[in-house]
Amino acid sequence: EVQLVESGGGLVQPGGSLRLSCAASGFAFSLYAMSWVRQAPGKGFEWVSGINSDGRSTRYADSVKGRFTISRDNAKNTLYLQMNSLKPEDTAVYYCAKHYGGSHYTSRSYTSDQGTQVTVSS
């Protein structure tokens, strides 16, 4: 059974930083691309960033490009999202998601139902 458990969210002031983690289990983590998605209050899901299975290729939504960095540690079965220069509009629940294949261009096959809350406010 696929399990994805996020952590690292919290309350941060504008301009601050947070590092999110996603612990994966129940599947061969190193074989699958992963993504972060988020849902702001009253809005739909927004894809944030994706990374290939080997970590060598990444991509980002325009809204976070240059501020967020996605990475993974396949030895630890863990996905990360380093978020810098946070803005109030980054406030959302952040979820990690597994893809169907090794490329982040494949569709997402499973999204966590837990998430971690990020609130950017002064």
Side-chain angles (χ1 to χ4, degrees), residues 1-8 20-27 29 34-36 71-73 76-81 94-98 110 112 114-116:
E1 178 185 1
V2 174
Q3 288 196 334
L4 301 171
V5 180
E6 302 91 343
S7 61
L20 306 184
S21 298
C22 170
S25 62
F27 66 102
F29 180 75
M34 299 291 293
S35 279
W36 287 97
S71 63
R72 65 191 294 160
D73 186 336
K76 295 183 178 180
N77 287 355
T78 303
L79 176 73
Y80 302 100
L81 185 68
Y94 284 72
Y95 302 87
C96 57
K98 170 186 173 292
Y110 178 86
S112 165
Q114 174 187 318
T116 186

Side-chain angles (χ1 to χ4, degrees), residues 45-96:
F45 281 96
E46 176 191 17
W47 172 80
V48 174
S49 180
I51 186 168
N52 272 11
S53 57
D54 61 6
R56 294 180 180 180
S57 177
T58 60
R59 62 185 182 122
Y60 300 90
D62 288 343
S63 58
V64 307
K65 198 172 295 182
R67 300 187 297 121
F68 289 12
T69 302
I70 190 171
S71 63
R72 65 191 294 160
D73 186 336
N74 285 344
K76 295 183 178 180
N77 287 355
T78 303
L79 176 73
Y80 302 100
L81 185 68
Q82 177 66 44
M83 306 186 296
N84 299 329
S85 303
L86 282 161
K87 305 175 181 180
E89 50 263 44
D90 294 318
T91 295
V93 179
Y94 284 72
Y95 302 87
C96 57

